Amino acid sequence: MSELVFGLDTFGDVPEDDSGRPVSHAAAIRQVLDEAVLADEIGVDVIALGEHHRPEYSVSTPETVLAGIATRTSRIRLASGVTVLSSDDPVRVFQRFSTVDALSHGRAEVILGRGSFTESFPLFGYDLSDYDVLFEEKIELFARLLEEKPVTWSGTKRAPLTDADVFPKTESGRLSTWVGVGGSPQSVVRTAHYGFPLMLAIIGGSPERFAPYVELYRRAAAQFGTTAYPVGMHSPGFIADTDEEAREVFWPHYRVMRNRIGALRGWPPIRREEFDAEVAHGSLYIGSPETVARRMADAIRNLGVGRFDLIYTAGAQPVSARMRAVELYGTRVVPLVRDMLAG
């Protein structure tokens, strides 16, 4: 197996301080910065910041926060997770991430996605009825921009470009770009068509059910004549010194977040039994370092992926518990997973 990559993901969930009070959005952003610096120091490979436009999250412009992280770190890769390309402008996305790439000496990467939340569409003046065509046209343009040559392009949802040169250029000549997919076969095939690495968002149920998507990506890449890169996956989880502590710290805040989102989507309130079953057999990687490492190793082995990103925030878990989770992930979980898979 090629060298595995391990990352941490967050949407900048607004945490509580250790006295139980929610912190401000500004403090939450600074908290993400502190967690990224710690992750860099202890050897985590990637920090990925997702984009949201809701009150419980602090990160609405991942690349801005990544630029701040770039100036405080030296080796960790700086990714979005994801950039909602459908409601953004491909030219500006390229410019912002190539700027982060410059500040970080080549450590930036963008993970493009359609987004599972839709708040950004009305916020930026896009019609949800154009959901599919917006992404299809914009990913086509973004793929052209990655060549870092003058672009002539036209579509139906954006003004055309004629011999347009976009700056700044990257020093390497290529901005690292992935596509995040939540379970659509068409999205997997599109990713292979453009020759991008695939990041699977596996946030519920048995991870093994995504094995057909990994195989589809490889088959489609072979048919298109593009490269089938090692597939990545990202899933939520939380780490504490013991299984019981991890569950009890995570559960009450996760329940609030899950029910708030569920109310918008017509889901019934989550029961503790469902949560415990997901922790035991599904896609919540929660527990002690040994427990989380064992479940991560099983998922990596069963799916044959080359990268695992843990979404380490899901609700208002306290600041100190979040820092401890980052520390345990980098110092205990990642080495354990590597040893398990090497054995």
Side-chain angles (χ1 to χ4, degrees):
M1 181 179 289
S2 60
E3 183 67 17
L4 289 166
V5 174
F6 292 93
L8 286 168
D9 285 15
T10 180
F11 300 114
D13 304 63
V14 176
E16 293 180 350
D17 63 23
D18 290 339
S19 62
R21 294 188 299 267
V23 307
S24 67
H25 284 98
I29 291 171
R30 293 190 292 268
Q31 178 62 29
V32 170
L33 178 60
D34 289 343
E35 290 158 1
V37 169
L38 174 60
D40 179 64
E41 291 171 348
I42 60 179
V44 176
D45 298 313
V46 185
I47 184 74
L49 307 185
E51 169 191 346
H52 273 305
H53 306 272
R54 298 172 52 85
E56 60 266 41
Y57 303 111
S58 66
V59 178
S60 60
T61 57
E63 57 272 29
T64 309
V65 185
L66 293 171
I69 294 171
T71 66
R72 295 269 310 275
T73 57
S74 61
R75 46 159 302 282
I76 197 167
R77 292 194 61 79
L78 310 171
S80 60
V82 299
T83 292
V84 183
L85 186 64
S86 307
S87 57
D88 211 328
D89 183 79
V91 172
R92 293 298 284 154
V93 171
F94 177 85
Q95 290 177 323
R96 296 194 300 260
F97 275 91
S98 62
T99 300
V100 175
D101 202 60
L103 291 170
S104 64
H105 295 272
R107 291 183 283 133
E109 62 182 42
V110 56
I111 304 179
L112 304 173
R114 297 195 295 175
S116 61
F117 288 74
T118 59
E119 289 85 359
S120 63
F121 289 81
L123 188 64
F124 300 124
Y126 292 98
D127 192 330
L128 275 171
S129 65
D130 296 326
Y131 185 83
D132 291 320
V133 68
L134 281 167
F135 190 74
E136 189 66 62
E137 289 190 357
K138 290 184 178 186
I139 196 171
E140 178 192 16
L141 174 54
F142 197 83
R144 297 281 305 281
L145 293 168
L146 290 173
E147 299 172 6
E148 303 197 18
K149 299 175 181 177
V151 173
T152 297
W153 176 92
S154 65
T156 64
K157 300 301 175 185
R158 187 201 185 282
L161 298 173
T162 302
D163 204 28
D165 215 356
V166 177
F167 305 98
K169 310 292 187 184
T170 63
E171 287 183 321
S172 69
R174 182 76 175 185
L175 178 65
S176 177
T177 303
W178 295 60
V179 175
V181 173
S184 162
Q186 294 83 1
S187 295
V188 173
V189 172
R190 183 193 297 113
T191 303
H193 170 72
Y194 285 108
F196 291 134
L198 173 68
M199 177 65 72
L200 292 171
I202 306 177
I203 59 174
S206 170
E208 285 76 14
R209 67 193 175 94
F210 278 79
Y213 293 100
V214 177
E215 180 58 30
L216 174 62
Y217 172 68
R218 292 170 179 160
R219 290 202 318 269
Q223 292 178 14
F224 289 127
T226 57
T227 300
Y229 294 95
V231 173
M233 63 178 287
H234 82 166
S235 294
F238 197 75
I239 307 150
D241 291 289
T242 67
D243 289 348
E244 181 180 9
E245 180 187 0
R247 293 188 188 204
E248 295 313 309
V249 169
F250 190 84
W251 161 247
H253 305 286
Y254 174 78
R255 178 182 58 193
V256 171
M257 180 273 296
R258 167 61 170 71
N259 287 342
R260 183 182 294 126
I261 295 171
L264 299 173
R265 300 185 177 185
W267 301 341
I270 189 171
R271 296 177 293 112
R272 179 62 190 251
E273 294 79 8
E274 296 175 71
F275 170 76
D276 288 338
E278 192 69 35
V279 171
H281 307 293
S283 293
L284 283 178
Y285 296 79
I286 296 173
S288 67
E290 294 76 14
T291 296
V292 173
R294 183 174 62 253
R295 298 210 57 242
M296 283 175 55
D298 287 345
I300 291 168
R301 187 183 295 114
N302 291 336
L303 290 178
V305 297
R307 171 169 164 178
F308 190 109
D309 287 2
L310 184 77
I311 310 169
Y312 69 99
T313 62
Q317 286 81 23
V319 166
S320 62
R322 278 177 38 167
M323 289 292 280
R324 181 63 173 158
V326 171
E327 178 187 0
L328 290 172
Y329 182 76
T331 62
R332 298 278 302 282
V333 173
V334 170
L336 281 170
V337 176
R338 293 191 189 279
D339 288 345
M340 290 175 184
L341 293 173

